[in-house]
Amino acid sequence: MKVTSLAFPVCFFLLLMTVPISRAAEAPPNVVLIFADDLGYGDLGCYGATKVQTPNIDRLAKEGRMFSDAHSASAVCTPSRYALLTGEYPIRANGGNGVWGPAPVTSGLIVDTEKLTTADVFKNNGYKTAALGKWHLGFGEGTNNWQEPLRPGPLDLGFDYYFGLPVVNSAPPYVYVENDRIVGGDPADPLVYLGRGQHKDATPITKIPPEASQRTPNMFKGAVEAHKRYNDYTVGTVLAGKAVDWITANKQKPFFLYLATTHIHHPFTPGENFQGSSEAELYGDFIQELDWMVGQVTKSLEEHGLSDNTLVIFTSDNGAMLNLGGRNAVRAGHRINGDLLGFKFGAWEGGHRVPFIARWPGKIAPGSKSDQLICNVDLLATFAALVGQDPESLENKDSINMLPALLGDPSEPLREELLLAPHKPSHLAIRKGKWLYIGARGSGGFGGSKEHQHAWGGPPATAFVGSVNSDIENGRYKKDAPHAQLYDLQNDVRQTQNVYNGFPEVVKEMEALLESYRPKKAAAKNQKRNRQPKVTKQ
């Protein structure tokens, strides 16, 4: 059974007992969580970008709080979303085998419907709840055959309403799903999965140019009308409109809106009004459309008089990717992950350190900044505290209440350590205080060695963006580079120096801490690997 919180009136009373009396007469706060896709640490004006303009997101930062040490629990899209919804490290999913990569097209729902979710926290306390945009957590049980109704799904995880892309904008089916039905679906023309590589009979989809970056060909036939309703270039407009409409329809009650944008995941297909609008090619144009979407949401809150009683959180599912769009942006002078080392999928900071902004007028100090270590896995406990439930009552202890860091300025760290997952289990990483330990050489992310490859990564890619790392020389790992990595992020956030050999006692402590998180089978396998220091070159 899912853990059910206290009835809402009692919950909110308990919350009020912990805050100034001046808030006692206030209504329960609304929450809008905007979860961008592949948006890097350097992709926003408020985080240092100069080649793109993000006035609406920058305004959130000006009116709220920016975090400089915020992370996704995974550098990969699906595991990141798992952590956000469940408050659980992705390594614990799938019976302890973890979830490490993007959910495939035919994936069933990877979240146990009996688990308490962030949506449940609100729904159990009288809120209306909605998920809009990218889902990418699967539908159904076992293998998803795409037959309606698409259950279990979002409606079984605490959401009253869902509308969006069932997988991602780079993978089929290229249709919208509303609740548990395909939008524009027709029983006489059902959606039929053909299989990978079976594109000959697939239903036509929107044409996009090569410079938009990679998109998987359609693998479905049928559902012609449903496919017509999906156009790559109007997704931003559609999702922004749905968010505004849902807020308008639910403004009389407390609500939780989870808006998971497809921006700025490849392919880069900004709407016509945004094409050529930035100085960072299509990549930058897509960012600027994302900023417009955020503006539509905040404008709607203002028009309905909801801004002062709404907590808005903006963050990203992982760091930026050096795909074709990313490379073109870098050539134009844009730093997708700022000065951080690495990219999406990897354990280096560029893979999982992300923008995180929170605004709540009158509760969060405007223009404030925080260096608290926080993670998207913490949102479950944070939201539980927000509605008055004791976070310590939650069964899951991976999630830590960060409400004090949002509303105040704690003198001590709220989170002492953090488990960080890249794409490869071998590169699972652990953060404790200023130290980051990665249990292998390299990032554990994309390994493409040639610039033309979609999944470019590793030493040549770091050189392309101007990053320096002591394990790398002339675009290769040094032969004598340590077989694992230790970084002092307090003094070297750019990870220029792997100090593994200089702090053996810290390494020993961090190795033990990391192994304590691994399921027993995975820990035994990793120990065997560590006895063999030779590492295959990426």
Side-chain angles (χ1 to χ4, degrees), residues 214-263:
Q214 187 266 355
R215 181 185 63 178
T216 301
N218 198 10
M219 304 177 194
F220 290 81
K221 70 176 182 178
V224 173
E225 181 58 32
H227 281 90
K228 287 181 179 178
R229 297 195 185 191
Y230 179 92
N231 183 307
D232 295 76
Y233 292 96
T234 61
V235 172
T237 301
V238 169
L239 294 183
K242 286 290 181 180
V244 169
D245 290 346
W246 191 85
I247 289 171
T248 302
N250 292 276
K251 62 183 179 182
Q252 300 299 333
K253 295 183 178 180
F255 61 76
F256 169 58
L257 172 60
Y258 166 53
L259 174 58
T261 73
T262 57
H263 295 59

Coordinates of all heavy atoms in Angstrom, one line a residue, residues 214-263:
Q214 N 19.8 14.3 -34.2 CA 19.3 12.9 -34.4 C 17.8 12.8 -33.9 O 17.4 13.3 -32.9 CB 20.2 11.9 -33.6 CG 19.8 10.5 -33.8 CD 18.9 9.9 -32.8 OE1 18.5 10.6 -31.8 NE2 18.4 8.7 -33.0
R215 N 17.0 12.0 -34.7 CA 15.7 11.6 -34.3 C 15.5 10.2 -34.8 O 15.7 9.9 -36.0 CB 14.6 12.5 -34.9 CG 13.2 12.1 -34.5 CD 12.2 13.0 -35.1 NE 12.2 12.9 -36.6 CZ 11.3 13.5 -37.4 NH1 10.4 14.3 -36.9 NH2 11.4 13.3 -38.7
T216 N 15.1 9.3 -34.0 CA 14.8 7.9 -34.4 C 13.6 7.8 -35.4 O 12.6 8.4 -35.1 CB 14.5 7.0 -33.2 OG1 15.6 7.1 -32.3 CG2 14.3 5.6 -33.6
P217 N 13.8 7.1 -36.5 CA 12.7 7.0 -37.4 C 11.5 6.3 -36.8 O 11.6 5.6 -35.8 CB 13.2 6.0 -38.5 CG 14.7 6.2 -38.5 CD 15.0 6.4 -37.0
N218 N 10.3 6.6 -37.3 CA 9.1 6.0 -36.7 C 9.1 4.5 -36.8 O 9.6 4.0 -37.8 CB 7.9 6.6 -37.4 CG 6.6 6.4 -36.6 OD1 6.6 6.0 -35.5 ND2 5.4 6.7 -37.3
M219 N 8.6 3.9 -35.8 CA 8.5 2.4 -35.8 C 7.1 1.9 -35.7 O 6.8 0.8 -35.4 CB 9.3 1.8 -34.6 CG 10.7 2.2 -34.4 SD 11.4 1.6 -32.9 CE 12.9 2.5 -32.8
F220 N 6.1 2.8 -36.0 CA 4.7 2.5 -35.8 C 4.0 2.8 -37.1 O 4.3 3.7 -37.8 CB 4.1 3.3 -34.7 CG 4.5 3.0 -33.3 CD1 5.7 3.4 -32.8 CD2 3.7 2.2 -32.5 CE1 6.1 3.1 -31.6 CE2 4.1 1.8 -31.3 CZ 5.3 2.3 -30.8
K221 N 3.0 1.9 -37.4 CA 2.1 2.2 -38.5 C 0.7 2.4 -37.9 O 0.5 2.2 -36.8 CB 2.1 1.0 -39.5 CG 1.4 -0.2 -39.0 CD 1.3 -1.3 -40.1 CE 0.6 -2.6 -39.6 NZ 0.5 -3.6 -40.7
G222 N -0.2 2.9 -38.8 CA -1.5 3.2 -38.3 C -1.6 4.5 -37.6 O -0.6 5.3 -37.6
A223 N -2.7 4.8 -36.9 CA -3.0 6.0 -36.2 C -2.6 7.3 -37.0 O -1.9 8.1 -36.4 CB -2.2 5.9 -34.8
V224 N -3.0 7.3 -38.2 CA -2.6 8.4 -39.1 C -3.0 9.8 -38.5 O -2.3 10.7 -38.5 CB -3.2 8.2 -40.5 CG1 -2.9 9.4 -41.4 CG2 -2.6 6.9 -41.1
E225 N -4.3 9.9 -38.1 CA -4.8 11.1 -37.5 C -4.0 11.5 -36.3 O -3.7 12.7 -36.1 CB -6.3 11.0 -37.2 CG -6.9 12.3 -36.7 CD -6.8 13.5 -37.6 OE1 -6.7 13.3 -38.8 OE2 -6.7 14.6 -37.1
A226 N -3.7 10.6 -35.4 CA -2.9 10.9 -34.2 C -1.5 11.4 -34.6 O -1.1 12.3 -33.9 CB -2.8 9.6 -33.4
H227 N -0.9 10.8 -35.6 CA 0.4 11.3 -36.0 C 0.3 12.7 -36.6 O 1.2 13.5 -36.4 CB 1.0 10.4 -37.0 CG 1.6 9.1 -36.4 ND1 0.9 8.0 -36.2 CD2 2.9 8.9 -36.0 CE1 1.7 7.0 -35.7 NE2 2.9 7.6 -35.6
K228 N -0.8 13.0 -37.3 CA -0.9 14.4 -37.8 C -1.0 15.4 -36.8 O -0.6 16.6 -37.0 CB -2.2 14.4 -38.7 CG -2.0 13.7 -40.0 CD -3.3 13.8 -40.9 CE -3.2 13.1 -42.2 NZ -4.5 13.2 -43.0
R229 N -1.5 15.1 -35.6 CA -1.7 16.1 -34.5 C -0.4 16.4 -33.8 O -0.3 17.3 -33.0 CB -2.7 15.6 -33.5 CG -4.1 15.4 -34.1 CD -5.2 15.2 -33.1 NE -6.5 14.9 -33.6 CZ -7.6 15.0 -32.9 NH1 -7.6 15.3 -31.6 NH2 -8.8 14.7 -33.5
Y230 N 0.6 15.6 -34.1 CA 1.9 15.9 -33.5 C 2.8 16.5 -34.5 O 3.1 15.9 -35.6 CB 2.5 14.6 -32.9 CG 3.9 14.7 -32.3 CD1 4.0 15.0 -31.0 CD2 5.1 14.7 -33.1 CE1 5.3 15.2 -30.4 CE2 6.3 14.9 -32.5 CZ 6.4 15.2 -31.2 OH 7.6 15.4 -30.6
N231 N 3.3 17.7 -34.2 CA 4.3 18.3 -35.1 C 5.5 18.8 -34.3 O 5.3 19.5 -33.3 CB 3.6 19.5 -35.8 CG 4.5 20.3 -36.8 OD1 5.6 20.6 -36.4 ND2 4.0 20.4 -38.0
D232 N 6.7 18.4 -34.6 CA 7.8 18.7 -33.8 C 8.0 20.2 -33.5 O 8.5 20.6 -32.5 CB 9.1 18.2 -34.6 CG 9.2 16.7 -34.7 OD1 8.4 16.2 -35.6 OD2 9.9 16.1 -34.0
Y233 N 7.6 21.0 -34.5 CA 7.8 22.5 -34.3 C 6.7 23.2 -33.5 O 6.8 24.4 -33.2 CB 7.8 23.1 -35.7 CG 9.1 22.7 -36.5 CD1 9.0 21.6 -37.4 CD2 10.3 23.3 -36.3 CE1 10.2 21.2 -38.1 CE2 11.4 23.0 -37.0 CZ 11.4 21.9 -37.9 OH 12.5 21.5 -38.5
T234 N 5.7 22.5 -33.1 CA 4.6 23.1 -32.3 C 4.5 22.5 -30.9 O 3.6 22.9 -30.1 CB 3.3 23.0 -33.0 OG1 2.9 21.6 -33.2 CG2 3.3 23.7 -34.3
V235 N 5.4 21.6 -30.5 CA 5.3 21.0 -29.2 C 5.4 22.0 -28.1 O 4.6 21.9 -27.1 CB 6.4 19.9 -29.0 CG1 6.4 19.4 -27.6 CG2 6.2 18.7 -30.0
G236 N 6.3 22.9 -28.2 CA 6.4 24.0 -27.1 C 5.1 24.8 -27.0 O 4.7 25.0 -25.8
T237 N 4.5 25.1 -28.1 CA 3.3 25.9 -28.0 C 2.1 25.1 -27.4 O 1.4 25.6 -26.6 CB 2.9 26.4 -29.4 OG1 3.9 27.2 -29.9 CG2 1.6 27.2 -29.4
V238 N 2.1 23.8 -27.8 CA 1.0 22.9 -27.3 C 1.1 22.7 -25.8 O 0.2 22.8 -25.0 CB 1.0 21.6 -28.0 CG1 0.1 20.5 -27.4 CG2 0.6 21.7 -29.5
L239 N 2.3 22.4 -25.3 CA 2.5 22.1 -23.9 C 2.3 23.4 -23.1 O 1.7 23.3 -22.0 CB 3.9 21.5 -23.6 CG 4.1 20.2 -24.2 CD1 5.5 19.7 -23.9 CD2 3.1 19.2 -23.8
A240 N 2.8 24.5 -23.5 CA 2.6 25.8 -22.8 C 1.1 26.1 -22.7 O 0.6 26.5 -21.7 CB 3.3 26.9 -23.5
G241 N 0.4 25.9 -23.8 CA -1.1 26.1 -23.8 C -1.8 25.2 -22.9 O -2.7 25.6 -22.2
K242 N -1.4 23.9 -22.8 CA -2.0 23.0 -21.9 C -1.8 23.4 -20.4 O -2.7 23.2 -19.6 CB -1.5 21.6 -22.2 CG -2.0 20.9 -23.4 CD -3.5 20.5 -23.3 CE -4.0 19.9 -24.5 NZ -5.4 19.5 -24.4
A243 N -0.6 23.9 -20.2 CA -0.2 24.3 -18.8 C -1.1 25.5 -18.4 O -1.7 25.5 -17.3 CB 1.2 24.7 -18.7
V244 N -1.2 26.4 -19.3 CA -2.1 27.6 -19.0 C -3.5 27.2 -18.8 O -4.2 27.7 -17.8 CB -1.9 28.7 -20.1 CG1 -3.0 29.8 -19.9 CG2 -0.5 29.3 -20.1
D245 N -4.0 26.4 -19.7 CA -5.4 25.9 -19.6 C -5.7 25.2 -18.3 O -6.7 25.3 -17.6 CB -5.8 25.0 -20.8 CG -5.9 25.8 -22.1 OD1 -5.9 27.1 -22.0 OD2 -5.9 25.2 -23.1
W246 N -4.7 24.3 -17.9 CA -4.9 23.5 -16.7 C -4.9 24.4 -15.4 O -5.7 24.2 -14.5 CB -3.9 22.4 -16.6 CG -4.2 21.4 -15.5 CD1 -5.0 20.3 -15.6 CD2 -3.7 21.4 -14.1 NE1 -5.1 19.7 -14.4 CE2 -4.3 20.3 -13.5 CE3 -2.9 22.3 -13.4 CZ2 -4.0 20.1 -12.1 CZ3 -2.6 22.0 -12.1 CH2 -3.2 20.9 -11.4
I247 N -4.0 25.3 -15.4 CA -3.9 26.3 -14.3 C -5.2 27.1 -14.2 O -5.8 27.2 -13.1 CB -2.7 27.2 -14.4 CG1 -1.4 26.5 -14.2 CG2 -2.9 28.4 -13.4 CD1 -0.2 27.3 -14.5
T248 N -5.7 27.5 -15.3 CA -7.0 28.3 -15.3 C -8.2 27.5 -14.8 O -9.0 28.0 -14.0 CB -7.3 28.8 -16.7 OG1 -6.2 29.6 -17.2 CG2 -8.6 29.6 -16.8
A249 N -8.2 26.2 -15.2 CA -9.3 25.3 -14.8 C -9.2 24.9 -13.3 O -10.3 24.5 -12.8 CB -9.3 24.1 -15.7
N250 N -8.1 25.0 -12.7 CA -7.9 24.5 -11.4 C -7.5 25.6 -10.4 O -7.0 25.2 -9.3 CB -6.9 23.3 -11.4 CG -7.4 22.1 -12.1 OD1 -8.1 21.3 -11.5 ND2 -7.0 22.0 -13.4
K251 N -7.6 26.8 -10.7 CA -7.2 27.9 -9.9 C -7.9 28.1 -8.6 O -7.4 28.7 -7.7 CB -7.3 29.2 -10.7 CG -8.7 29.6 -11.1 CD -8.7 30.8 -11.9 CE -10.2 31.2 -12.3 NZ -10.2 32.4 -13.2
Q252 N -9.0 27.5 -8.4 CA -9.8 27.6 -7.2 C -9.4 26.7 -6.1 O -9.8 26.9 -4.9 CB -11.3 27.4 -7.5 CG -11.9 28.3 -8.5 CD -11.8 29.8 -8.1 OE1 -11.8 30.1 -6.9 NE2 -11.8 30.7 -9.1
K253 N -8.6 25.7 -6.4 CA -8.1 24.7 -5.4 C -6.6 24.7 -5.4 O -5.9 25.1 -6.4 CB -8.7 23.3 -5.7 CG -10.2 23.2 -5.6 CD -10.6 21.8 -5.9 CE -12.1 21.6 -5.8 NZ -12.6 20.2 -6.0
P254 N -6.0 24.2 -4.3 CA -4.5 24.0 -4.3 C -4.2 23.0 -5.4 O -4.9 22.0 -5.6 CB -4.2 23.6 -2.9 CG -5.5 23.0 -2.4 CD -6.6 23.8 -3.0
F255 N -3.1 23.3 -6.1 CA -2.7 22.4 -7.2 C -1.2 22.1 -7.3 O -0.4 22.9 -6.8 CB -3.2 22.9 -8.6 CG -2.7 24.2 -9.0 CD1 -1.4 24.4 -9.5 CD2 -3.5 25.3 -8.9 CE1 -0.9 25.6 -9.9 CE2 -3.0 26.6 -9.3 CZ -1.7 26.7 -9.8
F256 N -0.8 21.0 -7.9 CA 0.5 20.6 -8.2 C 0.6 20.4 -9.7 O 0.0 19.5 -10.2 CB 1.0 19.4 -7.4 CG 2.3 18.8 -7.8 CD1 3.5 19.6 -7.8 CD2 2.4 17.5 -8.3 CE1 4.7 19.1 -8.2 CE2 3.6 17.0 -8.7 CZ 4.7 17.7 -8.7
L257 N 1.5 21.1 -10.3 CA 1.6 21.0 -11.8 C 3.1 20.6 -12.0 O 4.0 21.3 -11.7 CB 1.3 22.3 -12.5 CG 1.7 22.3 -14.0 CD1 0.9 21.2 -14.8 CD2 1.4 23.6 -14.6
Y258 N 3.3 19.4 -12.6 CA 4.6 18.9 -13.1 C 4.7 19.0 -14.6 O 4.0 18.3 -15.3 CB 4.7 17.4 -12.6 CG 5.9 16.7 -13.3 CD1 7.2 17.1 -13.2 CD2 5.6 15.4 -13.9 CE1 8.2 16.4 -13.8 CE2 6.7 14.7 -14.4 CZ 7.9 15.2 -14.4 OH 9.0 14.4 -14.9
L259 N 5.4 20.0 -15.0 CA 5.6 20.3 -16.4 C 7.0 19.9 -16.9 O 8.0 20.5 -16.6 CB 5.4 21.8 -16.7 CG 5.7 22.3 -18.2 CD1 4.8 21.6 -19.2 CD2 5.5 23.8 -18.3
A260 N 7.0 18.7 -17.6 CA 8.3 18.1 -18.0 C 8.4 18.5 -19.5 O 7.8 17.8 -20.4 CB 8.3 16.6 -17.8
T261 N 9.2 19.5 -19.8 CA 9.3 19.9 -21.2 C 10.2 19.0 -22.0 O 11.0 18.2 -21.5 CB 10.0 21.3 -21.3 OG1 11.4 21.2 -20.9 CG2 9.3 22.3 -20.3
T262 N 10.0 19.0 -23.3 CA 10.9 18.3 -24.2 C 12.1 19.1 -24.5 O 13.1 18.7 -25.0 CB 10.2 17.9 -25.5 OG1 9.7 19.1 -26.1 CG2 9.1 16.9 -25.3
H263 N 12.0 20.4 -24.3 CA 13.1 21.4 -24.5 C 14.1 21.2 -23.4 O 13.7 21.1 -22.3 CB 12.6 22.8 -24.5 CG 11.6 23.1 -25.6 ND1 10.4 22.5 -25.8 CD2 11.6 24.1 -26.5 CE1 9.8 23.0 -26.8 NE2 10.5 24.0 -27.3

